[in-house]
Amino acid sequence: MNDWPEGWTDDRNARYGRGSADAQPEGARRMRHVQRPAAPPQRPPVAPPVPQQQSRGYDDAYDSGYNTGQVYGTPQGGGRGGGPRGHDRGSVSAPDWRRRIKIGSIVVLVAVLGTTIGTYFWADGKMRREVDLAKVIDRPKEGDCTTYLIVGSDSREGMTAEEKKKLHTGSAEGKRTDSMMILAACGSGNTMISLPRDSDVEIPKFVGSDSGKTFPAQGRRVKLNAAYAEDGPELLVRTVEHNTGLRIDHYAEIGFAGFANIVDALGGVEMNIEKGFKDKKSGADFQAGKQTLNGEQALAFVRTRYAFAESDLARTKNQQKFLSALASQAATPGTILNPFKLYPTMGAGLDTLIVDKDMSLFDLGEMFFAMKGISGGDGTSMNMPINGTRGGNLVWDKAKVQQLVQQIQNDEKVTVTEK
């Protein structure tokens, strides 16, 4: 008798889950209560494309997989130590030349501006503003040109006994004017007018530069250089303005030592001497032709007068020629852009240059460039027109002087001649 349901057996070897003695494993037919759906067919996995890496100097035939991150199983290079492309440890970015040039330009500009500003304040601090033109009274009207009274004095300030002997300056005390000239910087052309120190002039009413006392006019007629000897630069300016009718805007004076030192700092000044001459008193001994004058020779050149028949008139012409040549050489790029020449030249000049209280570095520069224009043929150089003598003094031609002053005041081209 079989107590099992129909189709079931008590055969222990045929029971589900009991042993594995049968040759065939138990099939689904014996598990009618279990129905498993058929699994869909699986497609083989497709790996994403590996980005091609640019060669960076390695052998293209060898690929360790490091650059793509496949060494660590991450196709995007996100394995150990990985990150976004372009930030790999081995990557080298190209230099940003535009940024470097921009920064370099800014650095150079700041350095140039700093040097320029520093030089300006250094030079401005060395200027000796000792002449007060506010003390000059009864002044002529202002003109359209800027006028300078340039004075070369025989001051021996700061010179040793050896230097005085070498430069043939003598040892006289005090100082006197050795040369005087008016420089008019005009739009119509620059004009340099030498004022012979033996010029016959009248000393007008003036206020003493030190005492403040007013000295009335007495009709005294003296040589022009006597005005400087009597009461210094202020009375000299007052006398020039009174006898010419031309207003002087700025005053500049330099002594023997400063003059020679400027020339030496420039490395000498080239001059073309048309005719050789000698003068024992000044120490001049020159041959004709082009030559470079040092400080000692330059001073002898501008001081010589006894070697010429025209005496002081010939000397003033040589002074004009030399000052123009000096200014031309001082204002060249070879001097201005060369600190080994610029600073010694400025230092030598500013140490002994005496100017008026209102003179700026710009005014001083304008003066030098105006002198340079004279030598370049863009201006006029002349002596004050002379019309005879009086007691050994040179008398000015009043009509020509009046016309000359009028042309300068109105910024007209100068047509007046000295003869």
Side-chain angles (χ1 to χ4, degrees), residues 321-381:
K321 291 178 183 178
F322 187 85
L323 285 179
S324 296
L326 173 67
S328 294
Q329 189 160 326
T332 59
T335 299
I336 296 175
L337 301 180
N338 184 353
F340 297 103
K341 274 193 175 183
L342 176 64
Y343 288 99
T345 301
M346 293 181 67
L350 295 174
D351 281 341
T352 55
L353 185 68
I354 298 174
V355 298
D356 65 272
K357 293 182 180 293
D358 294 327
M359 175 83 89
S360 67
L361 280 176
F362 177 82
D363 296 321
L364 188 61
E366 184 185 44
M367 184 184 79
F368 271 93
F369 276 97
M371 287 194 295
K372 178 182 178 181
I374 299 293
S375 64
D378 298 330
T380 302
S381 61

Side-chain angles (χ1 to χ4, degrees), residues 46-377:
V46 179
V50 178
Q52 297 295 322
Q53 298 293 320
Q54 241 181 359
S55 175
R56 296 178 181 169
Y58 301 101
D59 187 357
D60 293 339
Y62 171 74
D63 184 6
S64 64
Y66 179 79
N67 290 335
T68 62
Q70 293 181 13
V71 170
Y72 304 105
T74 56
Q76 290 79 16
R80 189 190 318 165
R85 289 188 62 190
H87 297 277
D88 296 342
R89 294 179 180 179
S91 65
V92 179
S93 61
D96 189 347
W97 289 108
R98 290 184 179 180
R99 184 169 179 271
R100 291 187 180 185
I101 292 174
K102 182 178 180 180
I103 294 176
S105 300
I106 294 174
V107 171
V108 171
L109 179 61
V110 170
V112 170
L113 287 176
T115 302
T116 302
I117 294 173
T119 299
Y120 177 88
F121 283 105
W122 167 78
D124 187 73
K126 291 179 74 69
M127 291 182 68
R128 298 174 57 180
R129 297 181 174 94
E130 301 176 5
V131 179
D132 189 1
L133 296 183
K135 296 179 180 179
V136 181
I137 62 173
D138 300 335
R139 310 196 67 186
K141 67 176 183 179
E142 294 186 1
D144 294 331
C145 301
T146 302
T147 54
Y148 301 83
L149 180 60
I150 303 172
V151 174
S153 74
D154 63 0
S155 171
R156 297 152 180 87
E157 180 183 356
M159 296 176 65
T160 64
E162 183 179 351
E163 289 173 331
K164 293 176 184 178
K165 181 179 180 180
K166 178 182 178 182
L167 298 176
H168 301 271
T169 64
S171 299
E173 296 298 327
K175 60 181 180 179
R176 288 153 293 277
T177 53
D178 204 57
S179 62
M180 293 163 283
M181 58 187 68
I182 295 173
L183 174 65
C186 305
S188 59
N190 303 321
T191 303
M192 184 180 288
I193 309 163
S194 287
L195 309 176
R197 68 180 189 173
D198 294 338
S199 297
D200 185 80
V201 295
E202 179 186 17
I203 297 293
K205 179 180 73 172
F206 69 97
V207 175
S209 58
D210 293 328
S211 65
K213 179 182 176 181
T214 299
F215 294 88
Q218 299 176 355
R220 290 187 295 130
R221 302 200 70 86
V222 298
K223 292 182 178 180
L224 181 59
N225 63 343
Y228 183 96
E230 184 174 335
D231 198 40
E234 287 85 359
L235 180 54
L236 177 61
V237 171
R238 170 75 175 117
T239 302
V240 169
E241 290 187 342
H242 174 75
N243 286 270
T244 63
L246 183 67
R247 186 185 182 98
I248 300 299
D249 296 311
H250 294 293
Y251 177 92
E253 174 191 326
I254 193 165
F256 285 157
F259 182 83
N261 289 339
I262 290 176
V263 175
D264 286 335
L266 284 171
V269 174
E270 185 177 291
M271 288 290 297
N272 183 20
I273 300 177
E274 298 177 0
K275 184 178 181 180
F277 59 89
K278 292 183 180 182
D279 182 27
K280 185 177 181 180
K281 289 190 175 183
S282 66
D285 186 2
F286 298 105
Q287 302 294 323
K290 285 188 177 181
Q291 51 203 286
T292 300
L293 309 186
N294 60 26
E296 178 184 351
Q297 294 169 324
L299 191 56
F301 181 81
V302 299
R303 294 185 63 218
T304 298
R305 65 171 176 163
Y306 294 106
F308 310 119
E310 293 180 297
S311 186
D312 202 40
L313 294 178
R315 181 175 70 159
T316 55
K317 292 181 179 179
N318 281 342
Q319 290 170 348
Q320 291 178 348
K321 291 178 183 178
F322 187 85
L323 285 179
S324 296
L326 173 67
S328 294
Q329 189 160 326
T332 59
T335 299
I336 296 175
L337 301 180
N338 184 353
F340 297 103
K341 274 193 175 183
L342 176 64
Y343 288 99
T345 301
M346 293 181 67
L350 295 174
D351 281 341
T352 55
L353 185 68
I354 298 174
V355 298
D356 65 272
K357 293 182 180 293
D358 294 327
M359 175 83 89
S360 67
L361 280 176
F362 177 82
D363 296 321
L364 188 61
E366 184 185 44
M367 184 184 79
F368 271 93
F369 276 97
M371 287 194 295
K372 178 182 178 181
I374 299 293
S375 64

